[in-house]
Amino acid sequence: MLSRIVTAAALAATASVAASGALAQDTIKIGVVQSLTGQLTAVGKQVMGGVRLYQQQHGSTVAGKKIELIVKDDTTVPDVSKRLAQELIVNDKVNILTTGITPATFAIAPLATQAKVPAVIMVSGTSSATERSPYMVRTSFTLGQQSGIIGEWAAKNGSKKVVIVQSDWAPGAEATSVFTDAFTKAGGQIAETLKVPLANPDFSPFLQRARDANPDTLFVFIPAGQAGLFVKQFIDRGLDKAGIKLIGPGDVTDDDDLPNMGDGIIGTVTAGHYSAYHPSAANKAYVEAFKKLNGMRPNFISLGGYDGMHVIYEALKKTNGNADGDALLAAMKGMKWESPRGPIAIDPDTRDIIQNVYVRKVEKRDGELYNVEFATFEAVKDPIKAAKK
Ligand code: PHB
């Protein structure tokens, strides 16, 4: 009796090993490295909200393969991002990576190239991120896409003298340079460019200096997660009452913080690729489902995660489940679809995102603050890459 039980148990064990062996071959592993804690936790929270929603809606099987997400927290430290990506490639043998903010994306790029593993950039807004590796594809945005458009809009709509307040790292430098170029070419003047540290910023002294320069407009780039504090200090320092207009790429009226900013922010005009108020059926469904799953309003960062998963799923469908890096990359290039933000595409030449940029004004709708879109620039490419051609 005992020996029969032992034999049965041994057989069962052998069967389960065989099954897990088969399973391993049929599993596509995606290594997700994001800022889940640390300085830019707000970014990680939104991007993961998009990733999780996509999986909830589309399941965990694609082209007959099981999709396994391996999520790692890089604590917003690029050296950690690099180590985690290395471990994911060597130990977990991931087929695909996804990356977050700019310094993390830069740190991971050489590893993606070496391992020939496609890496989907879900957050970084710095132009050169896609040039760091031929295996990188971006589903987020670039700061240049938005900053040139708001520069021209401001010059045409009464802004003459601008002070720039910029978070002091790569995407901020790009926002400043593209804005400055567009605004000065259209006849505007930059009085001063003030650079604020990324870590634990106190905007008050910079806002005082900005006010002292007596501009009619403040152009601001700060990353997601810092908009609430920035706008509070802008209003506390009385810049709105002094009649100084606030403009920028969409980060400063981030949908995550916007509901709690207070009515002082009403009327602020920004250029951005996403508003939770974007009037499409796809977006209404997205906002509702996102809130239900994640308990917060989706912001512009969340789309990089949601659409990043779309690129991965659709590429796997096209390759019939073949996870070879070059095959997946070929499938991703030129992909076009309707995102909750509007129509988007992956540029087949640059692997960068092409998307609409909307000019929006903060207004109250149904008792809540929203970025209400009033002008659309269609199929905008990253201007920094376009200028290099
Ligand atoms: C970036 O990592 O480039 C980044 C992050 C958050 C933003 C904008 C840019 O709001």
Side-chain angles (χ1 to χ4, degrees):
M1 178 67 192
L2 191 62
S3 91
R4 246 201 282 151
I5 291 173
V6 170
T7 312
L11 268 175
T14 315
S16 101
V17 166
S20 75
L23 208 69
Q25 283 170 8
D26 286 338
T27 299
I28 308 277
K29 291 186 184 174
I30 306 175
V32 179
V33 182
Q34 296 293 343
S35 312
L36 305 182
T37 59
Q39 199 53 238
L40 292 178
T41 304
V43 169
K45 198 178 67 169
Q46 283 278 345
V47 76
M48 286 313 298
V51 167
R52 299 279 185 220
L53 178 59
Y54 194 90
Q55 265 220 318
Q56 185 195 56
Q57 291 176 337
H58 297 86
S60 296
T61 309
V62 181
K65 307 267 174 167
K66 179 110 190 75
I67 303 291
E68 184 189 344
L69 286 191
I70 308 177
V71 180
K72 300 280 180 188
D73 174 15
D74 68 10
T75 67
T76 322
V77 176
D79 282 348
V80 177
S81 324
K82 187 174 179 179
R83 176 174 56 75
L84 292 173
Q86 181 86 44
E87 288 170 8
L88 285 165
I89 291 168
V90 175
N91 302 343
D92 297 295
K93 310 212 168 5
V94 294
N95 306 97
I96 300 161
L97 281 166
T98 82
T99 77
I101 62 168
T102 292
T105 299
F106 285 1
I108 291 172
L111 303 176
T113 307
Q114 220 175 28
K116 297 185 191 294
V117 167
V120 177
I121 303 168
M122 290 181 161
V123 181
S124 171
T126 303
S127 176
S128 67
T130 46
E131 291 164 344
R132 297 275 172 133
S133 165
Y135 286 89
M136 293 198 129
V137 168
R138 173 158 26 217
T139 54
S140 47
F141 52 88
T142 72
L143 270 310
Q145 273 178 330
Q146 306 162 66
S147 302
I149 285 171
I150 196 66
E152 278 177 31
W153 185 89
K156 281 193 194 131
N157 287 275
S159 294
K160 293 194 164 54
K161 184 176 168 189
V162 164
V163 170
I164 296 175
V165 176
Q166 173 219 309
S167 181
D168 193 12
W169 53 313
E174 289 193 356
T176 291
S177 88
V178 176
F179 173 81
T180 300
D181 191 45
F183 186 64
T184 54
K185 271 192 188 134
Q189 180 208 340
I190 307 291
E192 227 178 317
T193 298
L194 305 173
K195 295 180 183 169
V196 186
L198 171 63
N200 304 311
D202 175 9
F203 300 106
S204 290
F206 297 95
L207 288 168
Q208 190 57 50
R209 257 180 80 183
R211 194 179 169 165
D212 293 346
N214 204 22
D216 53 52
T217 306
L218 208 62
F219 171 85
V220 177
F221 166 72
I222 41 137
Q226 296 185 356
L229 176 66
F230 177 84
V231 170
K232 183 181 180 307
Q233 296 187 333
F234 179 85
I235 293 170
D236 284 353
R237 286 263 151 187
L239 273 79
D240 59 329
K241 298 266 175 355
I244 299 171
K245 283 187 266 182
L246 179 59
I247 59 168
D251 314 60
V252 73
T253 56
D254 177 356
D255 270 296
D256 211 355
D257 286 348
L258 188 57
N260 301 315
M261 280 182 188
D263 290 357
I265 196 70
I266 289 175
T268 301
V269 176
T270 54
H273 62 279
Y274 178 68
S275 163
Y277 205 70
H278 179 64
S280 71
N283 185 48
K284 287 203 177 97
Y286 178 71
V287 172
E288 199 175 305
F290 189 96
K291 279 185 179 167
K292 200 166 160 204
L293 180 67
N294 301 303
M296 59 186 174
R297 198 195 270 190
N299 75 356
F300 65 99
I301 296 283
S302 73
L303 274 304
Y306 190 76
D307 290 323
M309 291 301 285
H310 177 93
V311 165
I312 293 170
Y313 274 44
E314 291 301 312
L316 283 167
K317 282 187 199 167
K318 276 203 207 169
T319 64
N320 235 334
N322 176 3
D324 170 70
D326 291 300
L328 282 176
L329 215 74
M332 290 175 181
K333 288 180 187 173
M335 203 181 275
K336 284 191 174 94
W337 70 104
E338 156 110 8
S339 156
R341 60 184 120 171
I344 64 175
I346 302 299
D347 188 326
D349 299 327
T350 62
R351 292 163 280 104
D352 214 334
I353 187 160
I354 304 174
Q355 60 190 337
N356 291 352
V357 174
Y358 308 90
V359 189
R360 318 91 52 87
K361 186 186 267 178
V362 176
E363 292 178 20
K364 214 167 219 177
R365 293 291 160 95
D366 311 321
E368 280 185 58
L369 295 170
Y370 281 106
N371 293 295
V372 179
E373 297 163 354
F374 63 89
T376 304
F377 290 76
E378 285 178 6
V380 179
K381 292 191 178 191
D382 170 44
I384 295 180
K385 280 194 197 76
K388 282 187 201 160
K389 282 202 166 177

